[in-house]
Amino acid sequence: MSQQQRDALDQLLRDAPLDLGGDVAEQRVIFEEMMAAIPVPADVTTSAGSLGGIAVVNVEVAGADPEGVIFYLHGGAYAIGTAASSVGLASDLARRAGARLVTVDYRLAPEHPYPAAIDDAVAAYRGLLDSGVAASAIAIAGESAGAGLAAATLVALKHVGLPQPSGAVLMSPWVDLTLSGESISGKAGVDPALTPEGLRRRAVDYVAAGEQRAELVSPIFADLTGLPPLLIQAGSHEILLDDATRLAARAAAADVAVRLEVTPGVPHVFQAFAAMLDEGDTALTSAGEFLRDHLAGPRP
Amino acid sequence: MSQQQRDALDQLLRDAPLDLGGDVAEQRVIFEEMMAAIPVPADVTTSAGSLGGIAVVNVEVAGADPEGVIFYLHGGAYAIGTAASSVGLASDLARRAGARLVTVDYRLAPEHPYPAAIDDAVAAYRGLLDSGVAASAIAIAGESAGAGLAAATLVALKHVGLPQPSGAVLMSPWVDLTLSGESISGKAGVDPALTPEGLRRRAVDYVAAGEQRAELVSPIFADLTGLPPLLIQAGSHEILLDDATRLAARAAAADVAVRLEVTPGVPHVFQAFAAMLDEGDTALTSAGEFLRDHLAGPRP
């Protein structure tokens, strides 16, 4: 947990050309390059696949439990990122969880605004169930907008009558597209990766302003009753910190099992930098243990 | 995690004669009897002691790490409870943490209102340091008002310039004596142990109404910067749920390392019922692991 590591990551992100609020075509290219730089462990193999008509990337980890499946939704503010570019972080999670993983190529805004992403996530989840995997052997996970989409998917599963997975890992979730958290301004000075303006632009791409409070857009406003156990992780140096803490509070009030882990002094989705940041390594290990526990079924 | 266990505990608490808002003399007797019913493990020995002029009970666990010390503050709404009656729960925590423990007989209201409790906690902590124990080998823990007092003590340590301990375990903390959390009314129907009226009466005993927002009375309103890593646990069936979730959010915003664990469907200080409730056992094991990690020093 070294200050030097945190400073190095902070500088790296401040110097990075990524601007989530910038031109989508440009930023998609930059994001792919950044994510592709995350090393994929040698014991991981990937293959293209499809679930419920939605393209996915299958991620297999040597020696993993053949039963459990992590259903993964990548980040990128609903406009950027792909299943393929998520494999670095997702496979690191799968490896620590000892489970196989599918990462979903849901459609992106602005070409495909809400509800395309949620429709695709639900269709792929249904396809995974239809392939013979029990809901109790599935856990859902995601980072940033992908974690928000994961939370929205859990709510949507209630609407369509599909069973909940065994648990969810939400890394730096973006669950309030109205940007009403105090940290949106309070942490803007220390967040090296995200800006309120950038998120606001992407929120408009994804959904018209009037719909930003809809429960499948901003699941922080949804009825969270009946959701499976949640692990919510965030860094204290991100403007989305309050999305994490408020989601934890709202879920807890709805009688959901909640574990919230906030790591001080680290940025949005710091788990992606586990190779250079001890805090990322620790958080990802914790997430892996959480997934192992829940994919293994309820404790006696 | 059985519904039957949760129902049995709920009924037990609803049938119990304890009324934290009742007559202090009567309730002290009832509380002592209830707490004395928690079994003390056979590998635990206790002895009377003193730290900084404050009476404590020393709790030794066979085979424990001789270095680490848990500094424990019991619950009872600042008016009820003793170090001796806390030994059942405290020793169970110490045993799982593999550390020795001191539980503090701080003075109680209404005979000794604020700041007597905090003065005694700080004096005993100073006495522990003076006895040669390094702050890094101390963790603070408590339940209910004791967890609130623990949080207030951490803030007070900053004021008097004493070093912070290595971490804190706060079980169902009462950190807002103004009772401003939504759960105070929102969870009143499902809380089998606490009532808003009872807490309100005890808050008045401890401190005049005008002072209830003072940061050493209600540490949720304090500047929490510089506090050590916190593990905050609560049940979703308690009116103090929002004290836990808001403390987590406030501490996270102040760049404190925070882990929040909310267990659904269980009451205030459910850890005290670990012998009959799987959720209590799981939570107490988690708290013990947290203490082990932090008493062992920072990770490399």
Side-chain angles (χ1 to χ4, degrees), chain A residues 50-287:
Chain A
S50 173
L51 282 172
I54 311 299
V56 302
V57 175
N58 296 302
V59 178
E60 306 273 349
V61 183
D65 169 19
E67 299 295 327
V69 182
I70 302 166
F71 184 88
Y72 194 85
L73 298 164
H74 68 80
Y78 292 107
I80 291 167
T82 58
S85 68
S86 74
V87 168
L89 172 55
S91 68
D92 201 354
L93 181 63
R95 195 160 142 274
R96 293 169 201 246
R100 74 182 176 93
L101 180 147
V102 292
T103 168
V104 181
D105 254 328
Y106 60 87
R107 284 169 292 166
L108 297 178
E111 297 90 333
H112 304 281
Y114 171 81
I118 190 97
D119 285 349
D120 290 357
V122 171
Y125 183 85
R126 189 191 296 273
L128 185 57
L129 293 173
D130 289 347
S131 77
V133 179
S136 61
I138 304 173
I140 194 166
E143 103 273 4
S144 191
L149 182 56
T153 298
L154 296 175
V155 175
L157 294 178
K158 296 198 296 179
H159 296 183
V160 298
L162 288 176
Q164 295 286 318
S166 63
V169 169
L170 307 178
M171 297 182 277
S172 296
W174 186 22
V175 286
D176 177 6
L177 272 68
T178 74
L179 305 185
S180 67
E182 278 179 33
S183 59
I184 293 292
S185 57
K187 293 289 184 180
V190 294
D191 187 325
L194 301 178
T195 64
E197 298 70 32
L199 292 182
R200 206 163 281 129
R201 183 169 174 186
R202 292 289 89 89
V204 170
D205 281 350
Y206 183 54
V207 63
E211 292 177 298
Q212 286 173 0
R213 218 183 180 282
E215 66 173 359
L216 296 185
V217 174
S218 294
I220 190 128
F221 303 120
D223 174 6
L224 302 174
T225 308
L227 262 56
L230 307 181
L231 170 60
I232 304 167
Q233 295 182 330
S236 80
H237 278 191
E238 58 171 310
I239 60 175
L240 294 181
L241 173 60
D242 283 11
D243 282 45
T245 57
R246 289 179 301 153
L247 183 66
R250 291 260 310 144
D255 293 315
V256 173
V258 173
R259 191 161 98 203
L260 169 72
E261 297 177 345
V262 179
T263 304
V266 298
H268 190 59
V269 197
F270 63 99
Q271 300 88 342
F273 306 93
M276 66 177 281
L277 183 72
D278 291 339
E279 287 90 339
D281 187 68
T282 300
L284 215 46
T285 296
S286 176

Side-chain angles (χ1 to χ4, degrees), chain B residues 190-203:
Chain B
V190 293
D191 187 325
L194 300 178
T195 64
E197 299 70 31
L199 292 182
R200 206 163 282 128
R201 182 169 174 187
R202 292 288 89 91

Side-chain angles (χ1 to χ4, degrees), chain B residues 111-138:
Chain B
E111 296 91 333
H112 304 281
Y114 171 82
I118 190 96
D119 285 348
D120 289 357
V122 171
Y125 183 84
R126 190 191 296 272
L128 184 58
L129 293 173
D130 290 346
S131 78
V133 178
S136 61
I138 303 172

Side-chain angles (χ1 to χ4, degrees), chain B residues 27-28 31-32 35 74-76 79-85 105-106 108:
Chain B
Q27 297 304 317
R28 283 178 183 166
F31 190 75
E32 291 300 298
M35 297 302 279
H74 69 80
I80 291 167
T82 58
S85 68
D105 254 327
Y106 59 86
L108 298 177

Side-chain angles (χ1 to χ4, degrees), chain B residues 45-200:
Chain B
T45 56
T46 62
S47 59
S50 174
L51 283 172
I54 311 299
V56 303
V57 174
N58 296 303
V59 178
E60 306 273 349
V61 183
D65 169 18
E67 299 294 327
V69 182
I70 302 166
F71 184 87
Y72 193 86
L73 297 164
H74 69 80
Y78 292 108
I80 291 167
T82 58
S85 68
S86 75
V87 167
L89 173 55
S91 68
D92 201 354
L93 181 63
R95 194 157 145 275
R96 292 168 200 246
R100 74 182 176 92
L101 180 148
V102 292
T103 170
V104 181
D105 254 327
Y106 59 86
R107 284 169 292 167
L108 298 177
E111 296 91 333
H112 304 281
Y114 171 82
I118 190 96
D119 285 348
D120 289 357
V122 171
Y125 183 84
R126 190 191 296 272
L128 184 58
L129 293 173
D130 290 346
S131 78
V133 178
S136 61
I138 303 172
I140 194 166
E143 103 273 5
S144 190
L149 182 56
T153 298
L154 296 175
V155 175
L157 294 178
K158 296 199 297 180
H159 295 184
V160 298
L162 288 177
Q164 294 287 318
S166 63
V169 169
L170 308 177
M171 296 182 276
S172 296
W174 186 24
V175 285
D176 178 6
L177 272 68
T178 74
L179 305 185
S180 68
E182 278 180 33
S183 58
I184 293 291
S185 56
K187 293 291 183 178
V190 293
D191 187 325
L194 300 178
T195 64
E197 299 70 31
L199 292 182
R200 206 163 282 128

